Amino acid sequence: MAKQARAVQTWRSIVDAAASVFDDYGYERAAISEILRRAKVTKGALYFHFASKEAIAQAIMDEQTSTVEFEQEGSPLQSLVDGGQQFAFALRHNAMARAGTRLSIEGVFLGGPHPWGDWIDATARMLELGQERGEVFPQIDPMVSAKIIVASFTGIQLVSEADTGRADLREQVAEMWRHILPSIAHPGVIAHIKPEGRVDLAAQAREKAEREEQEARIAAEAKDAGSLPGESGPRGGGAGRGTRAGQGADEADEEPAGAGAGVAAGGAV
């Protein structure tokens, strides 16, 4: 089990590091050596999990689509708006979302369907659900409208990135919805839709960070209050720490380079 958990952590480290590299440099200029440096893994470990740079890029684009989940309860249109604002927030704070978007815009399709397909399909399904619940005009073609929405969002986030580093993306996406909603939804429904999203994700993140900081401070104060002056901890602590450090070093060992090269030749695990 420990080996399996280590393998999962290694995979995670590689993907996260690669996302930051692709975000910084794009696909063509991204170097495997830089991914290895940021992930702090060996080349053998990387090729144990991924056969190529293309395979890593595909994993990032696949994972990008999991950053948004549309609520199936309540208003389908509001859920669609909330999902867009959720992704807008991710583009500002999540390298995985930015890397996946950059790879998509650069046209790194890796021989498969273009990566906007999942977004378009998900958006079309929510519009169909909106039609079933009487929010969306019955004459609207969900697939056509979905393509317009996804294309509009893609262009708006690019302009926002150029103008403000995406600092105004939430407001710009809200304006997009104010322009699109009248063409697809009943006026009575639009009056109840919040284009900025039902939740201010930035404020929510700040509150969470402040709460965690306060909890850490309280825990530190409680620990300080519980220690006696001159107390140096239980005897034998140094030996215990040495043992744990040794165990950590063993767990950090990567898969043999030979095994990784063999798997790389046959495909990713």
Side-chain angles (χ1 to χ4, degrees), residues 3-230:
K3 185 175 182 180
Q4 182 179 8
R6 187 166 70 248
V8 171
Q9 181 57 50
T10 300
W11 185 94
R12 182 79 263 164
S13 298
I14 294 168
V15 172
D16 287 344
S20 70
V21 174
F22 287 133
D23 180 31
D24 288 343
Y25 298 107
Y27 181 79
E28 292 298 334
R29 294 173 56 216
I32 289 292
S33 59
E34 181 62 14
I35 295 174
L36 292 173
R37 188 186 70 81
R38 297 190 189 188
K40 297 181 173 62
V41 301
T42 65
K43 185 178 291 186
L46 184 146
Y47 284 114
F48 179 85
H49 292 279
F50 299 99
S52 62
K53 186 170 77 170
E54 290 89 344
I56 303 174
Q58 186 62 61
I60 290 171
M61 287 192 287
D62 290 344
E63 188 150 322
Q64 175 195 221
T65 60
S66 67
T67 59
V68 175
E69 293 183 3
F70 295 121
E71 293 288 339
Q72 301 299 310
E73 302 299 325
S75 164
L77 279 179
Q78 185 64 68
S79 295
L80 195 55
V81 170
D82 291 346
Q85 291 292 7
Q86 185 181 345
F87 192 63
F89 181 80
L91 283 171
R92 291 195 61 197
H93 303 281
N94 187 322
M96 191 70 63
R98 290 194 300 273
T101 298
R102 179 165 184 172
L103 290 169
S104 301
I105 292 170
E106 290 181 352
V108 184
F109 303 155
L110 308 174
H114 68 76
W116 287 290
D118 288 340
W119 294 114
I120 293 170
D121 290 343
T123 300
R125 285 195 296 270
M126 295 305 294
L127 292 174
E128 290 170 356
L129 187 59
Q131 286 179 323
E132 294 173 7
R133 298 183 183 177
E135 290 189 348
V136 176
F137 292 136
Q139 68 270 24
I140 293 300
D141 185 325
M143 183 57 68
V144 171
S145 295
K147 289 180 180 179
I148 291 172
I149 290 169
V150 172
S152 298
F153 182 97
T154 302
I156 283 171
Q157 68 88 17
L158 279 173
V159 173
S160 176
E161 180 186 19
D163 283 348
T164 66
R166 297 195 180 101
D168 67 343
L169 186 53
R170 184 184 187 213
E171 293 76 12
Q172 293 303 316
V173 172
E175 285 299 329
M176 178 196 82
W177 283 113
R178 292 189 184 100
H179 281 74
I180 291 177
L181 285 172
S183 68
I184 65 173
H186 293 285
V189 173
I190 296 174
H192 299 284
I193 300 295
K194 296 182 179 179
E196 300 85 0
R198 283 176 288 194
V199 178
D200 186 341
L201 296 170
Q204 192 178 69
R206 286 193 299 271
E207 291 173 2
K208 180 181 178 182
E210 291 171 359
R211 184 169 60 251
E212 291 175 347
E213 182 181 355
Q214 183 179 16
E215 291 172 353
R217 184 168 60 251
I218 292 173
E221 291 173 354
K223 182 178 180 181
D224 291 342
S227 50
L228 298 175

